[in-house]
Amino acid sequence: MSETDRPPTEDVRRPDPPLPKDSGLTLEEYLAMQQAIGHPTRFRILRTLVANDELSAADLKAAVDVESHNFHYHLDELVDVGLIDKRQRRTADSQGFYTYYRPTAMGRGILEHGVEELMRREREFNDAYS
């Protein structure tokens, strides 16, 4: 019998459920958010929005410097999982609507307490031991 064929023993501890029973989101929704921010372009988009609070699509595209066909795909992914909000508004001097994007509270939270927290810890570790 190989190592992988053995049945689990009673000594193996099982983790508690990841979410409370009355959670507002499912585990799959949280994982979809994590997957979305795991892409470098979407990470840059979200960081740029958090730094600016709200940007038009044109300003955001220029700041992130990504090709148009990829840009809207990545924006839609972030909107679909709830990390950014999309709204349209008419400006006084325009004939049409402009689209603006802003981070949601979840978008700010996943950025601040996820990847960026790990990066801060690495900096602290390097400062302490260099």
Side-chain angles (χ1 to χ4, degrees):
M1 179 179 255
S2 75
E3 181 77 21
T4 58
D5 293 335
R6 283 195 298 183
T9 65
E10 291 181 23
D11 294 339
V12 175
R13 290 176 289 162
R14 299 197 185 270
D16 292 334
L19 298 171
K21 289 182 181 184
D22 59 348
S23 176
L25 297 174
T26 66
L27 176 61
E28 290 74 18
E29 289 169 318
Y30 279 109
L31 293 175
M33 288 179 191
Q34 192 66 41
Q35 182 178 7
I37 196 173
H39 190 281
T41 299
R42 292 190 289 267
F43 176 74
R44 287 193 334 264
I45 289 170
L46 184 57
R47 281 193 82 222
T48 302
L49 285 173
V50 166
N52 292 279
D53 292 325
E54 180 179 79
L55 289 171
S56 69
D59 289 341
L60 180 57
K61 182 183 171 302
V64 177
D65 191 31
V66 63
E67 294 184 33
S68 291
H69 66 283
N70 287 333
F71 178 67
H72 290 287
Y73 167 79
H74 291 300
L75 281 175
D76 289 344
E77 289 288 312
L78 291 167
V79 169
D80 288 348
V81 299
L83 295 178
I84 64 174
D85 280 332
K86 171 184 173 179
R87 68 185 184 95
Q88 292 184 324
R89 72 176 185 211
R90 187 184 303 255
T91 57
D93 60 342
S94 72
Q95 298 293 328
F97 289 95
Y98 286 90
T99 303
Y100 290 83
Y101 294 89
R102 63 181 170 213
T104 63
M106 289 298 285
R108 288 179 186 278
I110 199 169
L111 188 66
E112 175 70 21
H113 302 290
V115 176
E116 287 192 336
E117 176 65 23
L118 292 172
M119 290 187 282
R120 272 192 299 280
R121 288 183 182 184
E122 181 179 355
R123 269 190 235 110
E124 291 170 4
F125 179 81
N126 286 340
D127 290 346
Y129 293 100
S130 54

